[in-house]
């Protein structure tokens, strides 16, 4: 690991109009003046923000404001979309994510992602979790792989429910269990950052509560960025909150502060339910 | 003015009745359409089976043959070299004359010998040459009867037809009846049909040559078209960026699928035979031509199968850090395989039934030998059907239908394999 304190943190460009403090003391990821274009359409406008380690950042905002678009910038999932173009700078520990030499496979091993709809592979529970370690060569032998699978499922809070049927198909689980399986699959490769795009939107309140507890535990080891439509959820799980509006990052701040004392008019309208 | 609840309900009731009627009517149409389809299938299969089934039985005649040393060694010197050129017809003739003592004169004798197939001579020669010690013994031997005798036994030639209009004379029919009465002549399973190649003599003609030709040809087709088509589909669907070139390729593939098959035959003739100098009538060339023909079909089906794989699976794999090729091989391909196999089978079934392009590359030749390699002259089942359908002999009519039955059995077998393969791949999660 590079020494974060010594790596130079890029300055926030002066044209950044975001309310609140976008920087953090020792950022893991820095985004500076990030724009995303889908063809000619500019979906994200000059977004600058820091991501801190061991913290949950919640991204909220009305539908279509660019939350998912921004989230997909971090692990370069936008590369797979024809016509999508990203400008500006994104650095993971001082290393440019969009640099030509950057290996996306390595990047995605460091920055894991959990999707809105649970999408386990049509394979066994075991193979779902073992897939990442296998392709990245993380386990020397079967014993080590078994161990990784077990710890990952335990940390995802799924072990007790599936330990007797690891050979059963991942898709035979309930929606909430599938989502926890996807989280287990993501943490099995031991990433540094976990991106979550509305991970609970397809789940009932009980399953949601379990995932939220899980996020809170995982925070101890990872930086987590979560997109959510539920302000209660943002308030419950995150330490920092970013509010997006029509491609602009309007306001960033401590979650408590954003929800009790929003400074920007648009943020206030949104969290009080007058908009969106 | 808005309607009351009662009014609304009455209107809905009325429309309901109308909708139910429409539904019933549509069901009736559907059932009628299916019935018509089933009826035609039954008619088709019924007539082919009725016509083709007799081809699986064939008249055989059993004779007591004296392997006469005076005929085989005319000079009296015992020399096995002579067995290669001896007059075996005389042995058959002798045996028949023994059976019908009263036959006199060359013409009558010739008529008598005509009852036995020409293959009897070869069978006899093979038997004697295999073991020259048999010379001088009596043997009970079973030979193919002539196709006309076969047709008489099957009731396709009847006594009621005037003698001049049928190929067997009254005299011959008497002999046949006598042989039949003594159980020396009977219908048996037609082994020749399933083990021999084509022949001018119907009783000696079989489909095995065509079956082997079809197997070789389809083998070449499958080995070429499946990997190429799957690779093409994967590249176009998963890797190629959409641009003018890929659009052009796509349009062309769709057009190729609609090109009449004879055009592929002309292409094969011009390219493989005339330009590359490959052998005529060879399964290799036939397979190449049919591979070109089936490629578009399999590509289109494979692309559809790939399109059907949910994008969330690709996202999941890419998000885990799988490389594009890993994403395809580990996740997309297994899910698309059943659809690809279905497309392949449809393509292969089409290739199996193709006749026109093979005519262009000379696979229509009359070939007696069962092909031994990919470059030896061969024909295929549909072409064999075509050839026999063109033959004047009555016995070829049933053989034509018999060959169609074999072709259909081939098809059913292929489809069954496809279903089994698909079920194996299609592990529903
Ligand atoms: N693949 C794409 N091609 C073109 N435009 C896109 C694409 N994906 C998203 N967009 C556009 O970019 C804008 C931002 O989309 P994005 O999916 O990031 O919104 P979001 O904030 O995640 O919305 P939601 O809360 O509904 O998920 C939208 O206007 C959307 O129409
Ligand atoms: Mg979204």
């Amino acid at each position: 690991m590079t020494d974060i304190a010594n790596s130079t943190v890029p300055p926030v460009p002066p044209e950044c109009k975001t309310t609140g403090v976008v920087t953090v003391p020792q950022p893991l990821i820095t985004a500076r003046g990030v724009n995303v274009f889908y063809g000619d359409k500019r979906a994200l406008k000059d977004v600058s923000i820091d991501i801190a380690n061991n913290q949950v950042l919640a991204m909220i905002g009305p539908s279509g404001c660019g939350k998912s678009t921004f989230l997909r910038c971090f692990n370069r999932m936008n590369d797979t979309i024809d016509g999508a173009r990203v400008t500006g700078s994104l650095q993971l520990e001082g290393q440019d994510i969009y640099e030509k030499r950057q290996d996306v496979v390595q990047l995605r091993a460091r920055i894991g992602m959990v999707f809105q709809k649970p999408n386990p592979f049509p394979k066994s529970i075991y193979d779902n979790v073992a897939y990442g370690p296998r392709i990245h060569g993380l386990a020397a032998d079967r014993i080590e792989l078994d161990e990784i699978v077990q710890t990952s499922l335990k940390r995802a809070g799924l072990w007790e429910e599936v330990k007797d049927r690891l050979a059963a198909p991942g898709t035979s689980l309930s929606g909430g269990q599938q989502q926890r399986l996807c989280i287990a699959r993501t943490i099995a490769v031991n990433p540094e950052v976990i991106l979550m795009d509305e991970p609970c939107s397809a789940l009932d309140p009980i399953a949601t509560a379990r995932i939220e507890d899980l996020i809170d535990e995982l925070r101890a080891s990872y930086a987590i960025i979560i997109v959510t439509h539920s302000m209660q959820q943002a308030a419950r799980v995150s330490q920092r909150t970013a509010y997006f509006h029509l491609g602009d990052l309007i306001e960033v701040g401590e979650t408590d502060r954003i929800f009790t004392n929003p400074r920007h008019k648009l943020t206030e309208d949104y969290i009080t339910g007058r908009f969106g | 003015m808005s309607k009351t609840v009662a009014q609304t309900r009455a209107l809905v009731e009325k429309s309901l009745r109308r909708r139910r009627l429409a539904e019933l009517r549509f069901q009736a149409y559907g059932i009628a359409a299916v019935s018509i389809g089933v009826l035609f299938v039954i008619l088709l299969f019924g007539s082919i089976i009725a016509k083709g089934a007799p081809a699986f039985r064939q008249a055989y005649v059993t004779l007591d043959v004296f392997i006469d040393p005076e005929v085989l060694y005319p000079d009296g010197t015992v020399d096995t070299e002579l067995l290669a050129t001896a007059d075996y017809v005389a042995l058959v003739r002798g045996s028949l004359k023994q059976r019908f003592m009263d036959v006199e004169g060359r013409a009558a004798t010739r008529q008598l010998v005509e009852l036995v197939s020409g293959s009897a001579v070869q069978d006899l020669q093979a038997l004697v040459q295999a073991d020259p010690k048999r010379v001088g013994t009596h043997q009970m031997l079973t030979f193919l009867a002539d196709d006309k005798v076969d047709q008489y036994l099957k009731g396709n030639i009847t006594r009621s037809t005037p003698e001049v209009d049928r190929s067997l004379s009254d005299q011959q029919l008497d002999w046949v009846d006598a042989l039949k009465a003594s159980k020396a002549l009977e219908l048996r399973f037609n082994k020749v049909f399933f083990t021999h190649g084509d022949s001018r003599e119907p009783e000696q003609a079989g489909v095995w040559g065509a079956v082997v030709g079809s197997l070789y040809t389809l083998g070449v087709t499958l080995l070429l078209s499946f990997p190429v088509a799957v690779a093409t589909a994967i590249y176009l669907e998963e890797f190629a960026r959409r641009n003018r070139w890929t659009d052009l390729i796509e349009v062309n593939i769709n057009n190729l699928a609609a090109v009449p098959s004879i055009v592929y035959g002309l292409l094969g003739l011009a390219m493989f035979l005339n330009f590359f100098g490959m052998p005529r009538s060879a399964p290799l060339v036939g397979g190449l031509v049919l591979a070109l023909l089936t490629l578009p079909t399999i590509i289109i089906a494979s692309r559809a199968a790939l399109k059907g794989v949910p994008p969330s699976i690709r996202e999941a794999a890419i998000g885990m850090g799988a490389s594009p090729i890993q994403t395809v091989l580990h996740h997309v391909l297994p899910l698309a395989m059943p659809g690809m196999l279905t497309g392949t089978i449809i393509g292969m079934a089409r290739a199996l039934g193709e006749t026109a392009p093979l005519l262009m590359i000379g696979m229509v030749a009359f070939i007696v030998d069962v092909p031994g390699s990919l470059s030896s002259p061969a024909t295929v089942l549909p072409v064999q059907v075509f050839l026999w359908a063109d033959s004047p002999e009555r016995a070829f009519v049933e053989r034509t239908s018999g060959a169609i039955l074999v072709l259909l059995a081939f098809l059913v077998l292929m489809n069954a394999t496809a279903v089994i393969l698909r079920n194996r791949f299609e592990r529903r999660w």
Side-chain angles (χ1 to χ4, degrees):
Chain A
M1 244 198 223
T2 49
D3 193 340
I4 299 168
N6 285 348
S7 64
T8 48
V9 175
V12 179
E15 63 270 22
C16 174
K17 293 186 286 288
T18 306
T19 312
V21 187
V22 298
T23 54
V24 297
Q26 290 190 348
L28 188 60
I29 301 180
T30 55
R32 293 293 178 265
V34 174
N35 289 280
V36 179
F37 300 85
Y38 291 114
D40 296 334
K41 186 176 168 336
R42 191 174 173 199
L44 211 59
K45 302 166 192 162
D46 285 321
V47 173
S48 299
I49 191 170
D50 285 353
I51 311 294
N53 208 350
N54 306 114
Q55 227 190 28
V56 179
L57 170 73
M59 304 208 291
I60 58 170
S63 188
C65 65
K67 306 179 295 290
S68 302
T69 300
F70 188 46
L71 196 71
R72 284 201 303 264
C73 289
F74 292 106
N75 65 345
R76 288 182 60 171
M77 283 298 268
N78 286 331
D79 289 12
T80 60
I81 299 171
D82 273 350
R85 196 157 51 84
V86 179
T87 66
S89 128
L90 275 150
Q91 293 188 355
L92 173 62
E93 292 183 330
Q95 192 186 339
D96 191 350
I97 291 176
Y98 279 84
E99 200 181 22
K100 274 225 170 59
R101 273 170 300 159
Q102 173 66 51
D103 186 347
V104 285
V105 169
Q106 186 222 4
L107 177 73
R108 289 175 191 150
R110 293 177 68 185
I111 304 182
M113 187 160 194
V114 177
F115 296 84
Q116 177 170 1
K117 242 182 72 197
N119 55 354
F121 297 125
K123 297 180 189 300
S124 71
I125 294 173
Y126 183 95
D127 286 339
N128 260 283
V129 184
Y131 185 67
R134 273 192 187 131
I135 59 170
H136 296 300
L138 299 186
D141 52 23
R142 180 77 193 199
I143 301 162
E144 202 181 340
L145 191 61
D146 285 351
E147 214 174 275
I148 294 177
V149 170
Q150 186 174 343
T151 28
S152 305
L153 284 170
K154 274 186 179 152
R155 297 187 68 188
L158 194 60
W159 177 249
E160 287 305 318
E161 289 154 76
V162 301
K163 66 173 180 225
D164 300 323
R165 50 175 181 142
L166 290 176
T171 41
S172 69
L173 299 172
S174 77
Q177 288 173 326
Q178 285 188 20
Q179 196 61 301
R180 275 181 281 149
L181 178 64
C182 291
I183 294 174
R185 179 177 73 185
T186 306
I187 58 184
V189 293
N190 208 11
E192 292 154 52
V193 183
I194 301 179
L195 311 174
M196 295 183 169
D197 195 348
E198 302 180 42
C200 302
S201 64
L203 307 182
D204 69 284
I206 295 170
T208 302
R210 295 210 56 162
I211 303 256
E212 285 178 6
D213 290 346
L214 179 60
I215 291 172
D216 209 45
E217 282 165 35
L218 294 176
R219 174 164 68 91
S221 334
Y222 310 105
I224 295 173
I225 309 174
I226 179 171
V227 172
T228 176
H229 272 285
S230 152
M231 273 168 287
Q232 291 88 336
Q233 183 171 62
R236 280 193 300 262
V237 300
S238 72
Q239 287 73 50
R240 275 171 91 220
T241 297
Y243 173 68
F244 287 80
H245 185 89
L246 293 177
D248 286 310
L249 176 53
I250 302 297
E251 184 166 357
V252 182
E254 303 290 317
T255 300
D256 295 341
R257 207 265 300 150
I258 292 272
F259 281 102
T260 52
N261 183 20
R263 289 190 200 144
H264 199 285
K265 178 83 172 61
L266 286 168
T267 319
E268 189 182 347
D269 287 351
Y270 184 72
I271 62 172
T272 52
R274 258 176 297 202
F275 177 78
Chain B
M1 219 200 78
S2 65
K3 295 184 179 67
T4 65
V5 172
Q7 277 173 326
T8 314
R9 213 188 266 170
L11 284 173
V12 170
E13 287 283 319
K14 224 171 96 189
S15 82
L16 259 187
R17 211 171 312 129
R18 209 171 54 234
R19 276 182 278 177
R20 267 194 220 114
L21 270 177
E23 213 151 289
L24 282 178
R25 219 173 323 130
F26 188 78
Q27 267 187 15
Y29 293 152
I31 291 172
V34 171
S35 309
I36 291 173
V38 169
L39 185 76
F40 275 106
V41 168
I42 290 174
L43 275 178
L44 177 78
F45 275 77
S47 79
I48 290 175
I49 291 174
K51 272 198 227 144
F56 299 152
R57 293 175 71 72
Q58 159 74 29
Y60 284 88
V61 59
T62 308
L63 296 175
D64 178 5
V65 184
F66 176 52
I67 315 221
D68 194 347
E70 281 177 30
V71 173
L72 296 180
Y73 308 125
D75 310 340
T77 49
V78 177
D79 178 4
T80 47
E81 292 281 302
L82 291 173
L83 293 180
T85 51
D87 182 11
Y88 292 94
V89 185
L91 293 185
V92 177
R93 195 188 305 126
S95 159
L96 281 165
K97 284 184 91 168
Q98 195 70 27
R99 182 77 172 65
F100 300 102
M101 299 279 208
D102 52 340
V103 176
E104 296 284 337
R106 292 179 65 92
T109 312
R110 208 184 56 238
Q111 282 205 356
L112 185 59
V113 174
E114 264 178 19
L115 298 182
V116 180
S117 166
S119 69
V121 173
Q122 290 130 39
D123 291 353
L124 200 53
Q125 176 169 7
L127 187 89
V128 175
Q129 279 190 309
D131 185 6
K133 280 205 241 15
R134 292 202 175 105
V135 177
T137 62
H138 279 269
Q139 302 272 344
M140 288 303 281
L141 297 175
T142 303
F143 302 114
L144 278 170
D146 188 76
D147 61 298
K148 294 187 288 287
V149 175
D150 178 63
Q151 290 303 301
Y152 174 63
L153 287 193
K154 287 171 181 166
N156 293 331
I157 296 175
T158 52
R159 263 181 199 278
S160 52
T161 338
E163 192 174 6
V164 287
D165 290 343
R166 61 174 128 84
S167 38
L168 291 173
S169 67
D170 286 342
Q171 173 76 82
Q172 285 177 309
L173 292 186
D174 291 341
W175 291 327
V176 169
D177 284 341
L179 282 170
K180 201 178 145 195
S182 67
K183 293 256 189 291
L185 178 66
E186 56 186 3
L187 288 175
R188 293 196 195 166
F189 175 68
N190 190 355
K191 204 177 141 208
V192 169
F193 186 67
F194 293 102
T195 52
H196 280 54
D198 199 5
S199 170
R200 295 280 182 227
E201 300 299 327
E203 75 275 7
Q204 297 175 39
V207 285
W208 187 241
V211 168
V212 173
S214 273
L215 277 176
Y216 278 147
T217 309
L218 285 191
V220 172
T221 305
L222 183 66
L223 283 183
L224 274 171
S225 61
F226 183 67
V228 173
V230 169
T232 309
I234 288 178
Y235 178 75
L236 287 177
E237 209 51 54
E238 305 287 329
F239 293 101
R241 296 230 160 223
R242 288 201 66 88
N243 57 31
R244 221 175 316 143
W245 291 111
T246 48
D247 283 348
L248 191 74
I249 290 172
E250 183 165 351
V251 168
N252 272 308
I253 289 172
N254 291 342
N255 282 339
L256 278 181
V259 166
S261 57
I262 189 121
V263 177
Y264 286 93
L266 285 167
L267 174 77
L269 176 66
M271 200 165 83
F272 300 127
L273 297 191
N274 294 345
F275 188 73
F276 289 116
M278 290 183 179
R280 286 177 70 82
S281 313
L284 177 66
V285 182
L288 283 169
V289 169
L290 293 182
L292 292 179
L293 184 91
T294 49
L295 263 176
T297 317
I298 307 183
I299 292 175
I300 290 170
S302 300
R303 291 189 67 178
L306 287 170
K307 279 202 183 91
V309 175
S312 65
I313 297 293
R314 289 188 189 85
E315 269 190 345
I318 291 172
M320 287 302 299
S323 65
I325 194 74
Q326 282 174 328
T327 306
V328 169
L329 291 183
H330 297 167
H331 303 287
V332 178
L333 202 53
L335 290 177
M337 222 8 141
M340 290 180 167
L341 284 178
T342 308
T344 307
I345 286 301
I346 292 172
M348 296 308 285
R350 187 178 164 201
L352 176 63
E354 244 351 303
T355 323
L358 301 181
L359 303 185
M360 301 310 301
I361 55 156
M363 288 190 92
V364 71
F366 169 71
I367 288 143
V368 177
D369 294 323
V370 175
S373 75
L374 288 182
S375 53
S376 46
T379 190
V380 293
L381 276 167
V383 175
Q384 187 68 76
V385 169
F386 171 76
L387 285 171
W388 282 349
D390 228 20
S391 302
E393 285 90 345
R394 187 71 184 73
F396 273 128
V397 175
E398 61 183 39
R399 276 174 174 73
T400 305
S401 295
I404 294 175
L405 282 179
V406 173
L407 183 66
L408 289 177
F410 220 114
L411 264 178
V412 169
L413 200 75
M414 253 167 63
N415 281 332
T417 322
V419 170
I420 291 169
L421 273 178
R422 200 163 52 206
N423 286 346
R424 174 150 313 169
F425 276 105
E426 201 168 47
R427 284 201 283 164
R428 281 258 159 258
W429 294 95

